[in-house]
Amino acid sequence: MTKNTSNSDLRVVVLGAGMSGILSGIKLLEAGYRNVTIYEKAERVGGTWRENTYPGLTCDVPSHAYTYSFEPNSEWTRQLPPGAEVQDYFESTTRKYKVDELIRFGQEVTRCAFVDGRWHLETASGLRDEADVVIAATGVLHHPRMPDIPGLKSFGGRVLHSARWDHSVPLDGKRIGIVGNGSTGVQLVSALASRAGKLKHFQRTAQWIMPVENPTFTEEQKQAFRDDPALLKRMQNDETYLANVERFTTAVADATSPEIATIEAIVQENLERSVPDPVLREKLRPNYRAACKRLIFSPDYYQAIQHENAELVTEGIETVTHEGVLTRDGTVHELDVLVLASGFHADRFMRPMQITGRDGRHLDDVWAKRPHAYLAIALPEFPNLFMINGPTSPVGNFSLIDVAEKQWGYIAQLLDLLKSGECTEISVKQDALDAYEAARLAAAKNTIFASGCKSWYLDAEGVPASWPWNYARFRDVMAAPDLSAFEQKQRTLAENS
Ligand code: NAP
């Protein structure tokens, strides 16, 4: 068996080559780690941006903010970048930083077990590996959730989940039904209303819509970004955007804050101003507070749903039939294509991987009640295993790249202890996790996410599974680990032999 005898040659395995895994690879190489492998189940990098290719896919975070801080991009074509551009950005960044040389594609890790001081990994194809450190960069939104609608199999047309798009299915002039009006469903309606022969949008729960502009960057602007790195950096650190993030996270963390009242006023005004028909307007008006569900940012959904080809259907779905969708009022909505924009199993994280820590402690048991982790990063008795965008990470309408970079900064300081030989195993103490969880659960009750709606932010017990404080607190906590929360262990030579 390989042993960890030289801490300067730590073997690090990263799980997943999406945004967080690519970041980990870049940062590990930059810090001088040379014994690094990234296992990726698919054949390309990109994670959720690889898997989502539906028409209208757009990042609703401003493009220049949705970039790695060290890799600004002068070539974004729009304020809100199309999904394909985001995917290109991740692919070109992977190549530029030579992270592609670290990646083993087509290798889905199925087991990770901490045995005799090291992580032992196995992939679906039977490959085995060992590592001193595992970074779980497995993402949140990648296990499609199929809606519990009866009859789906009997549909005579094509059924597509938004995250499993089949681009060979014809759409132009077709009768298209879209189930779901989260960020995905709304973008699909905007993209397809004018292309469909008839588009029916099946809405179970209305959504608040934040208006947003999506101008293109002109060739002159892009040239200016290319010519002037300082200007590009200013775009990345745009003060208005950063102030909005502070305001937004303050708003969602406190359902009584003046900041959330401002958001509510904006979305209400958007609805009043954009939808003159009072019947349609009332159908579109949610009966819960703005930002309780993840807020939808859309420049054009209200226009799209008022397109002559489009119809909002608010009657509940009874069943899917061979012809289309039967709603509870007895109407059969005949369709050629049925799109399920029904979201993801957001509570999976690293699973279905089988992960066991010290003494065979199983992750499924640790997470039986709810997925959780100390500061969203570490778990007791799972030494040298760190998560990026893990459970209780901040969620919201801001750049998760920034969240991942801050989490990486924290994890890197723990890795330094391993690299420098301070210890061979580091794991968070149970009482530190318990204290964090108790404070988090108490604070979660005050967030807007807990103000009375259903959403993927809520865990099985209805508690928001998120960072419940504002961005400034996240930034401060991530700046440096409180090492008293961690147990450091030095394996002895006897243990190593
Ligand atoms: P989602 O927010 O979970 O929305 C799922 C939708 O499907 C909801 O409208 C839900 O209705 C509906 N639904 C589920 N089961 C149903 C059923 N049996 N009958 C009728 N309706 C049903 O999923 P999503 O829109 O894919 O978005 C997930 C997340 O992905 C977003 O919140 C966001 O974080 C991310 N995303 C981001 C962007 C971006 O621009 N950055 C774009 C797309 C997605 P109910 O509301 O009634 O449950």
Side-chain angles (χ1 to χ4, degrees):
M1 189 181 78
T2 328
K3 305 263 170 29
N4 170 28
T5 45
S6 159
N7 280 341
S8 61
D9 192 29
L10 277 185
R11 170 133 182 85
V12 184
V13 160
V14 179
L15 308 177
M19 175 274 286
S20 305
I22 298 166
L23 170 75
S24 306
I26 294 170
K27 292 292 177 183
L28 285 163
L29 289 177
E30 192 180 281
Y33 292 89
R34 289 290 169 262
N35 197 356
V36 179
T37 299
I38 302 176
Y39 287 109
E40 168 54 54
K41 66 182 173 190
E43 299 298 335
R44 288 168 70 197
V45 302
T48 196
W49 295 104
R50 174 195 65 230
E51 297 193 4
N52 283 278
T53 62
Y54 60 81
L57 172 67
T58 304
C59 178
D60 63 10
V61 174
S63 47
H64 286 278
Y66 200 78
T67 56
Y68 295 119
S69 58
F70 49 86
E71 187 58 26
N73 177 20
S74 54
E75 306 308 309
W76 293 122
T77 60
R78 304 192 76 104
Q79 170 79 359
L80 306 178
E85 267 183 51
V86 178
Q87 175 66 16
D88 285 349
Y89 172 77
F90 286 127
E91 291 190 353
S92 60
T93 303
T94 303
R95 285 192 297 273
K96 176 171 172 183
Y97 288 84
K98 300 196 186 315
V99 170
D100 46 346
E101 294 170 16
L102 307 177
I103 305 175
R104 299 283 311 263
F105 287 105
Q107 292 289 352
E108 180 173 3
V109 175
T110 51
R111 298 179 74 86
C112 274
F114 192 76
V115 181
D116 294 336
R118 294 198 99 198
W119 284 99
H120 295 243
L121 298 97
E122 216 176 294
T123 71
S125 67
L127 185 148
R128 286 164 190 262
D129 197 356
E130 290 183 26
D132 301 299
V133 175
V134 171
I135 308 289
T138 45
V140 190
L141 303 171
H142 62 117
H143 296 292
R145 178 191 288 279
M146 300 302 279
D148 52 356
I149 300 173
L152 276 172
K153 288 211 168 73
S154 59
F155 182 51
R158 285 297 303 271
V159 177
L160 298 173
H161 188 280
S162 54
R164 295 285 179 274
W165 203 263
D166 177 347
H167 289 270
S168 69
V169 175
L171 300 170
D172 293 306
K174 299 296 178 192
R175 299 166 301 174
I176 303 172
I178 297 177
V179 174
N181 60 342
S183 305
T184 303
V186 160
Q187 291 181 353
L188 275 158
V189 170
S190 296
L192 296 180
S194 58
R195 288 179 60 188
K198 183 76 194 167
L199 183 145
K200 305 236 177 172
H201 193 196
F202 297 94
Q203 169 190 289
R204 183 166 68 179
T205 314
Q207 287 271 13
W208 288 111
I209 310 275
M210 176 64 85
V212 61
E213 303 209 328
N214 188 17
T216 51
F217 293 114
T218 62
E219 195 44 46
E220 290 71 32
Q221 282 174 304
K222 287 195 276 179
Q223 192 57 49
F225 298 148
R226 286 176 208 127
D227 294 343
D228 185 354
L231 173 65
L232 189 54
K233 200 74 201 158
R234 280 204 298 284
M235 288 299 290
Q236 236 186 339
N237 295 325
D238 176 54
E239 281 174 18
T240 312
Y241 169 75
L242 294 176
N244 281 343
V245 171
E246 293 282 0
R247 258 198 303 275
F248 186 83
T249 57
T250 302
V252 297
D254 178 2
T256 63
S257 62
E259 288 85 355
I260 196 74
T262 304
I263 289 175
E264 286 175 318
I266 295 171
V267 296
Q268 280 165 15
E269 204 270 328
N270 187 32
L271 177 61
E272 305 299 336
R273 180 170 38 83
S274 309
V275 186
D277 173 358
V279 176
L280 179 62
R281 191 164 63 227
E282 291 321 301
K283 285 183 175 180
L284 288 166
R285 189 187 302 280
N287 60 1
Y288 57 87
R289 298 184 60 190
C292 183
K293 286 171 179 278
R294 183 181 189 270
L295 201 53
I296 311 290
F297 279 63
S298 174
D300 49 11
Y301 172 73
Y302 283 147
Q303 287 86 335
I305 200 61
Q306 294 172 87
H307 191 281
E308 56 185 354
N309 298 349
E311 181 186 335
L312 183 73
V313 181
T314 53
E315 276 296 330
I317 298 174
E318 180 81 40
T319 186
V320 173
T321 66
H322 185 75
E323 289 72 33
V325 168
L326 171 67
T327 45
R328 292 204 188 107
D329 60 353
T331 308
V332 176
H333 304 265
E334 293 186 3
L335 301 170
D336 302 306
V337 181
L338 178 59
V339 177
L340 307 174
S342 46
F344 300 86
H345 292 284
D347 59 349
R348 304 280 96 185
F349 296 99
M350 300 175 264
R351 300 173 292 179
M353 228 178 277
Q354 299 293 306
I355 302 191
T356 51
R358 280 193 190 119
D359 305 321
R361 180 185 283 223
H362 204 293
L363 184 70
D364 281 344
D365 296 330
V366 175
W367 281 359
K369 189 163 180 184
R370 57 168 59 92
H372 63 292
Y374 176 68
L375 300 178
I377 281 176
L379 281 169
E381 308 303 339
F382 290 76
N384 305 357
L385 169 72
F386 306 110
M387 289 166 261
I388 305 186
N389 276 311
T392 78
S393 271
V395 290
N397 299 78
F398 41 81
S399 173
L400 289 190
I401 299 185
D402 179 50
V403 170
E405 285 195 27
K406 298 228 162 7
Q407 291 174 332
W408 180 265
Y410 186 100
I411 293 168
Q413 295 174 65
L414 299 176
L415 293 189
D416 283 346
L417 298 171
L418 297 167
K419 194 180 181 204
S420 66
E422 291 272 311
C423 60
T424 50
E425 294 175 22
I426 186 158
S427 55
V428 69
K429 294 175 183 165
Q430 186 67 50
D431 58 359
L433 171 62
D434 293 345
Y436 165 75
E437 264 299 88
R440 190 188 71 77
L441 292 171
K445 295 195 182 100
N446 303 326
T447 64
I448 194 72
F449 307 140
S451 66
C453 67
K454 272 174 48 188
S455 81
W456 67 264
Y457 285 174
L458 304 180
D459 67 23
E461 293 189 350
V463 180
S466 174
W467 179 262
W469 303 284
N470 68 10
Y471 176 81
R473 178 156 168 178
F474 176 70
R475 186 186 50 216
D476 293 348
V477 170
M478 287 297 111
D482 168 9
L483 290 183
S484 69
F486 287 88
E487 176 197 73
Q488 298 181 45
K489 207 177 149 196
Q490 189 67 255
R491 243 171 297 128
T492 60
L493 280 178
E495 282 175 294
N496 269 340
S497 62

